[in-house]
Amino acid sequence: MIPYGKHHIDQGDIDAVVDVLENHFLTQGAKVPEFEQALCDYTGANYCTAVNSATSGLHVACLAAGVKAGDMVWSTPNSFVASANCALYCGASVDFIDMDPATRNIDIDLLAKKITQAKRENKLPKALIVVHFAGFSCDMKLISDLLKGVDIVLIEDAAHGLGGSYLNTKIGACEYSDMAVLSFHPVKSITTAEGGAVMTNSEYFAQQIVLFAKHGVTRDVQLFDSEASDLSKQGPWYYQQLELGYNYRLSDMQAALGISQLRKLDGFVAARQKCADFYFENLAHLPLKLPQNDLSTQGPENQSGWHLFMIELDDSVKLDRKTVYEQLVHKGIGVNVHYIPIHLHPFYQRLGFKPGDYPAAEHFYDRAITLPLYPSLSIHEQKAVLAALEEVLL
Ligand SMILES: *Cc1c(COP(=O)(O)O)cnc(C)c1O
């Protein structure tokens, strides 16, 4: 079975982890700050906090944004549930903006309309979470322009994005956003087994992120509350809990793996690009809608990290998606589907969402299939995917 995604671990990665096990602190040592610095160097962002998953990263990003009970957060339905759950963790409510069928990212016209309406009703959200679906950046400049003059914190769920770029800056640079959250789950562009990071250029947000990701506790004298304790009686052992935080730390073993993986990221992206090129060159004759390729709507300075390659069955295909999916799996092609629209999960339906609320995401979900794509996918395997698709669809 050819899987839809696969991590790539080499001897250098293994040696890096073993070195930590044999010679260093397992957690709270030097590897985490080194990884954080390497992510800043790669993306160009000023601050990075490594965390134990992107899910944790999204949670602390919302907390840093000040999201709390009674607030509203906007996200997109065609994503993994973590893109919305993070707001609910903070006690806030969630609402969605449907996807744009062309880019498969947030529909910017719908966003503009929703902002106008929310302004009129005085119901602006505290934060907006956008997702770079499959690795293509959202049009962040347009989105940030829409948010000018309104007080909405813009968070990128960049779980698919690391390795890609937008207008000549790396995804994660936070050029047009307040924070960007990365994932290092094994199917993502680099892995630390589980892991994530929150990037920002804001000193304030960086400080809040660190606080919430580490128990709400600080040893920074500048941040101490001097009313709560006579600081002259306290010594070097002293720390204060200022907020209700969490233990979302990444371990040094994981950070060592991340450092080693990050060095290979551009090679991974180039290999993924080659796989995507093969699909674009060879699938054109099939009754499929392929992902956006030339990002001409955004300009040539954009590069997808090709986290996923999703095809959509044309309406002319008489077989339903389930049948196509099953036939491909039967032929040894480990396809997948991304995503069940968040609002259709029973938990979200209990919050009041219902089928029909976000028709573009629902239509996409009904017709979409994720093809295998990962750095070590061979041309031989891609030809097998092609042959299987031809047998099923032609
Ligand atoms: C994978 C993913 C997440 C969650 O990442 P974890 O590191 O597994 O917590 C969040 N959002 C999106 C869009 C993802 O694909």
Side-chain angles (χ1 to χ4, degrees):
M1 180 75 80
I2 303 171
Y4 86 92
K6 194 159 84 181
H7 60 270
H8 185 83
I9 297 288
D10 66 13
Q11 193 58 45
D13 295 323
I14 294 166
D15 293 346
V17 176
V18 171
D19 175 57
V20 170
L21 285 169
E22 289 182 340
N23 301 307
H24 302 274
F25 289 105
L26 301 187
T27 187
Q28 295 180 274
K31 291 296 172 189
V32 167
E34 190 184 328
F35 184 39
E36 291 171 336
Q37 185 57 51
L39 286 164
C40 286
D41 293 344
Y42 184 87
T43 58
N46 288 341
Y47 303 96
C48 171
T49 306
V51 286
N52 59 7
S53 71
T55 302
S56 305
L58 286 162
H59 185 191
V60 291
C62 285
L63 291 167
V67 174
K68 53 189 185 317
D71 287 335
M72 171 62 75
V73 172
W74 291 348
S75 188
T76 44
N78 61 317
S79 186
F80 185 57
V81 291
S83 305
N85 286 347
C86 53
L88 304 181
Y89 296 157
C90 303
S93 311
V94 168
D95 203 0
F96 299 98
I97 292 119
D98 208 351
M99 65 171 245
D100 173 343
T103 63
R104 301 171 180 176
N105 283 330
I106 188 168
D107 186 320
I108 293 180
D109 292 335
L110 289 179
L111 174 64
K113 285 190 192 121
K114 203 169 170 74
I115 291 173
T116 309
Q117 189 186 352
K119 262 192 210 160
R120 204 165 43 226
E121 294 170 0
N122 211 4
K123 280 187 184 163
L124 284 168
K126 189 87 186 175
L128 168 65
I129 300 169
V130 298
V131 181
H132 306 308
F133 188 83
F136 278 111
S137 179
C138 298
D139 201 335
M140 294 305 297
K141 191 165 179 300
L142 263 183
I143 294 170
S144 74
D145 283 347
L146 283 179
L147 299 192
K148 283 213 175 97
V150 292
D151 194 15
I152 300 176
V153 178
L154 179 52
I155 300 170
E156 298 171 71
D157 178 343
H160 299 182
L162 182 64
S165 53
Y166 170 73
L167 298 183
N168 285 327
T169 61
K170 291 287 182 190
I171 293 178
C174 301
E175 188 77 18
Y176 300 97
S177 72
D178 295 296
M179 292 174 260
V181 180
L182 307 173
S183 173
F184 312 127
H185 180 279
V187 296
K188 307 290 163 70
S189 55
I190 63 167
T191 190
T192 61
E194 297 283 356
V198 190
M199 316 301 295
T200 183
N201 291 320
S202 149
E203 191 182 353
Y204 171 76
F205 284 136
Q207 177 202 305
Q208 293 291 301
I209 292 160
V210 171
L211 200 57
F212 283 113
K214 299 176 184 178
H215 304 278
V217 157
T218 186
R219 290 179 183 276
D220 183 345
V221 204
Q222 307 287 326
L223 300 180
F224 280 171
D225 178 348
S226 55
E227 313 248 296
S229 170
D230 180 355
L231 295 177
S232 68
K233 292 196 176 137
Q234 307 299 349
W237 65 86
Y238 188 66
Y239 56 84
Q240 281 188 342
Q241 182 183 347
L242 302 175
E243 297 285 355
L244 184 60
Y246 299 82
N247 178 1
Y248 283 165
R249 282 192 299 260
L250 192 74
S251 74
D252 276 49
M253 288 180 291
Q254 293 170 296
L257 178 54
I259 294 163
S260 177
Q261 285 264 302
L262 188 56
R263 287 194 203 108
K264 295 185 278 261
L265 174 58
D266 286 340
F268 290 162
V269 172
R272 286 174 176 276
Q273 178 71 56
K274 251 182 97 180
C275 296
D277 289 344
F278 176 93
Y279 285 143
F280 281 115
E281 281 158 25
N282 293 282
L283 301 184
H285 65 298
L286 295 172
L288 300 172
K289 193 167 152 209
L290 301 181
Q292 170 195 31
N293 187 19
D294 62 26
L295 288 188
S296 51
T297 53
Q298 298 182 357
E301 317 91 330
N302 304 291
Q303 159 77 45
S304 174
W306 290 112
H307 167 53
L308 299 173
F309 194 98
M310 302 205 51
I311 55 170
E312 232 180 305
L313 304 177
D314 276 350
D315 292 334
S316 68
V317 176
K318 290 294 164 253
L319 300 173
D320 63 13
R321 190 267 315 278
K322 181 165 183 250
T323 309
V324 175
Y325 177 99
E326 284 170 349
Q327 291 190 4
L328 289 170
V329 170
H330 185 70
K331 291 174 188 297
I333 312 301
V335 287
N336 206 325
V337 173
H338 296 86
Y339 289 93
I340 302 150
I342 298 175
H343 69 287
L344 296 185
H345 286 286
F347 177 84
Y348 280 87
Q349 292 203 38
R350 288 206 298 274
L351 296 179
F353 296 100
K354 55 189 186 312
D357 282 351
Y358 304 100
E362 292 174 28
H363 183 265
F364 179 68
Y365 170 61
D366 281 344
R367 307 298 282 172
I369 293 176
T370 310
L371 298 184
L373 194 155
Y374 46 89
S376 61
L377 183 67
S378 70
I379 191 86
H380 176 72
E381 289 166 318
Q382 281 200 286
K383 283 183 177 162
V385 175
L386 172 63
L389 279 169
E390 284 176 338
E391 283 166 33
V392 174
L393 294 174
L394 292 182

